[in-house]
Amino acid sequence: MTDPTHGTRVAHGARPPFEGTIGRTFDDSTPWWPALPSAPEGAPNVVVVLLDDVGYGQFGCFGSDIATPTFDRLAAHGRRYGNFHTTALCSPTRAALLTGRNHHSNGMARVVELAAGFPGYNSAIPKENGFLSEVLVRNGYATFAVGKWHLTPATEMTFGSPRDKWPLGRGFERFYGFLGGETDQYRPDLVYDNHPIEPPRSPEDGYHLTEDLADRAIGFVKDLRAAAPEKPFFLWFTPGAAHAPHQAPASSIDAYRGQFDQGWDRWREEVFERQLASGLFPSTTELSERPSWVPAWDALSDDERRLYARMMEVYAGFLTHTDAQVGRMLDFLDGLGELDDTLVLLMSDNGASAEGGPRGSFNEQYFFNFVPESLEENLRRIDDLGTPRANNHYPWGWAWAGNTPLKRFKRDTHEGGVADPLIVHWPTRLGTAGGTRHQYVHAVDIAPTVLDLLGIEAPDVIAGIEQAPIEGISFAGTLDDADAASAHVTQYYEMLGSRALYHDGWKAVVFHSPPFLAYDGTDTTKPFDDDVWELYRVSEDFAEVHDLAASEPEKLAELQALWWSEAERFQVLPLNNQPGRFVDPRHRRDRQVFYAGVGPLPEAIAPALKNRSFAIAAHLHVPEGDGPVDGVLVAHGGHAGGYVLHIRGRRLHYTYNFVGTEITTVSASIELPPGVLVARVVATHRGTPGGPVDIALFYDDVPVGQGTVPHTTLLTYGTPGFAVGYQPFGPIDPDLEGRATIPDGVLGTLVVEAKGRDAVRDAVASSDSDLEDRADLATQ
């Protein structure tokens, strides 16, 4: 930044040269105070609201009948962009938004859990790609991040990890939220700045994460105004909604009783009619057909329709509840008299999510662990949907409808995966007349547009590191001119093997599914060169209805060649739709020693005990008499699945929770004797992936219990991590309440040893499939 007092360049945080005089005493010295860093004159606040897994047609102002009055108000008095695009997945889009560089240029080809050992895929955003926060904080802005982060490598999310890739290491001065890709709305995995904290209230006391995040954002602004009444701020508000689990207060959900009984086919037609009438996209746009893998609503049974309609009611309630929290935050700014001069950008990170599978689920871990959905079980739990007892997701028919009028879903490079809502609101600069824009805009364009509107140049150097060129293009000119030409003419896409190339109103696209997501029956093993590309004139055929590949072979060949050129330019190569083949091996250990209070550790570096034999040894000091001893020794997971070794009634118990539906507890037959001893679990896996495990309990070498866990989790417990001495994510065993912390002094060290080969890895090696990729996608 430039110091206005003398025009020389001073690095952020560096001590400027002293310009007073220093004599022998105060009397013969002249004091001097350097000017405080200041934003450009008239600089507005900047608020980015980034929603998660919200489809193109799910805002009210984008055609939905879901109530989003806050979002609609912003659109009515701002600019609604009908041709905004993302990368199709959350971590890549977030990286593009904050840096202005493409996702592969950021090393963020996929979610951070799918890191691979290639420059475009390592999940480590290089420091030469400076964040918008790093630029603004050096130009007089306060910078706050509130909500979902998901930009730190999975192996660096622990509290013993370096912090340089956490929010406070990338230009944000304050952070409150969660580091991973999703979290339970009632029992979240919270981080405050650089340390873990517990939620301020329990679900029983009315806690909900989105409300907490809005409270915290308001609190950060209050703190700022107490210290610096005029200083502008940048707020990155990313609540994690409406990503699964879909959870919201009952009042928000029940307001939608019966609203979706007509089903996804008719609902989608009604959304399209409203979209077309509002001028959201070209009048030549047609509604794409229902694909074969989405069943017709009328072909479902009465029970299926009742269940699936309720699942959509829950999602709608979640989105409306989120709209209300964003509204509460913006109303606070309005009460300060600052909303009119706040640049608000509201968007989603990718298309609606199909991860609920064809039938939806009260526990999305079914999908990620290849457990068949049970209509009977889901119906039995229908009243649990949206509550702290569920981990629910709607069926992909509603995701398809949520992307109206487009094809496919999140993760795909067809428009249903990459076209998303975008709203820009700034009354002081834009007025309040509203308007719709049709220019092509991509996530990489957000950062340069913000800098352009603020009159701040992207720096050549940040913290001594020379910066790479910004790859996005400002669309500021379109805010005032609805007829301005699109500045962004060419954009590549690649996600999990699917590719696309947009160029000047044309789009070539190919779907190449990973083996674990082949929902349309395509051959996932065929070479990339054998893929059949489609071609669309998306400037007229926005929903990709009329494939012109056969009639325009020269145009298709031109765009295919341009895709390869862009792929080389932006680190997209090598192509791979089985990212688990190249996972980071550097953090795998078969023997680990822990102490009470450790965790939670993410699944990427937690002890890998699934589908193999293992032993856990807890070194205990059991007090005499009635001294407290009960509590958790080690836990991994939460109410939707996992295991916990704990002491209850002074006896050792091992409880296994299989995807929230089958609870097996193996208990010691006698109480723990007082004194020093080792309580052990020895688990013998029978060799079948997801199959039985025989459990034996010991006090020292004395056997005290045995039993069998009949079904075990194939791939993932989801985002809840591994912890020693407490359970951080709710009851794995329904009889354990709260954190169930082990009393001080009872647990010394806890040693975990994995034994033998992982049965899933053996299956992967023998079949060339990649089951583990689905587990990693459970965290997106």
Side-chain angles (χ1 to χ4, degrees), residues 620-622 673-678 700:
L620 305 178
H621 185 279
V622 180
V676 176
L677 77 154
V678 179
D700 290 329

Side-chain angles (χ1 to χ4, degrees), residues 20-149:
T21 59
I22 299 176
R24 294 174 65 91
T25 69
F26 267 37
D27 290 340
D28 57 2
S29 303
T30 304
W32 176 79
W33 296 100
L36 295 173
S38 60
E41 185 176 353
N45 303 318
V46 178
V47 175
V48 173
V49 179
L50 179 61
L51 302 184
D52 203 332
D53 287 5
V54 176
Y56 183 84
Q58 290 180 323
F59 287 178
C61 51
F62 276 70
S64 173
D65 62 354
I66 298 173
T68 55
T70 300
F71 306 159
D72 299 351
R73 183 171 69 251
L74 293 173
H77 300 298
R79 302 289 183 267
R80 178 182 65 162
Y81 279 79
N83 201 9
F84 171 66
H85 291 78
T86 59
T87 69
L89 216 54
C90 59
S91 297
T93 293
R94 289 157 198 270
L97 289 169
L98 278 170
T99 68
R101 283 86 169 183
N102 284 296
H103 57 305
H104 293 84
S105 298
N106 284 309
M108 200 66 72
R110 299 171 170 86
V111 291
V112 296
E113 291 80 9
L114 286 174
F118 299 99
Y121 296 78
N122 59 23
S123 295
I125 301 175
K127 296 300 173 96
E128 57 262 32
N129 291 359
F131 279 33
L132 184 59
S133 48
E134 294 176 298
V135 177
L136 295 185
V137 78
R138 288 165 169 78
N139 282 273
Y141 271 77
T143 53
F144 312 136
V146 178
K148 171 175 171 175
W149 182 242

Side-chain angles (χ1 to χ4, degrees), residues 515-544:
F516 53 94
L517 292 172
Y519 54 79
D520 68 348
T522 56
D523 180 5
T524 63
T525 63
K526 66 181 178 182
F528 289 105
D529 288 341
D530 291 347
D531 284 334
V532 177
W533 286 69
E534 303 160 28
L535 178 68
Y536 301 98
R537 188 73 162 118
V538 289
S539 59
E540 302 170 358
D541 181 19
F542 180 56
E544 300 170 319

Side-chain angles (χ1 to χ4, degrees), residues 298-309:
D298 291 344
L300 301 173
S301 69
D302 289 344
D303 280 342
E304 287 172 321
R305 289 196 292 265
R306 180 166 66 93
L307 175 66
Y308 301 167

Side-chain angles (χ1 to χ4, degrees), residues 161 371 377 444 460 520 554 558 611 723 726:
S161 298
V371 178
E377 180 67 17
V444 293
D460 297 327
D520 68 348
E554 293 182 358
E558 172 194 339
N611 301 291
Y726 66 103

Side-chain angles (χ1 to χ4, degrees), residues 56-58 263-265 267-268 271 275 294 312 352 396-406 408-409:
Y56 183 84
Q58 290 180 323
W264 44 63
D265 293 296
W267 187 85
R268 188 169 181 262
V271 169
Q275 292 173 328
V294 174
M312 184 58 185
W396 63 30
W398 286 118
W400 165 69
N403 291 325
T404 302
L406 310 172
R408 298 190 183 269
F409 323 102

Side-chain angles (χ1 to χ4, degrees), residues 56 186 214 270 297 301 326 351 389 460 472 500 563 565 596 598 671 676 697:
Y56 183 84
Y186 296 106
E270 294 171 354
W297 185 262
S301 69
V326 174
R389 298 181 296 279
D460 297 327
W563 187 91
S565 174
V598 165
E671 293 185 0
V676 176
L697 304 181

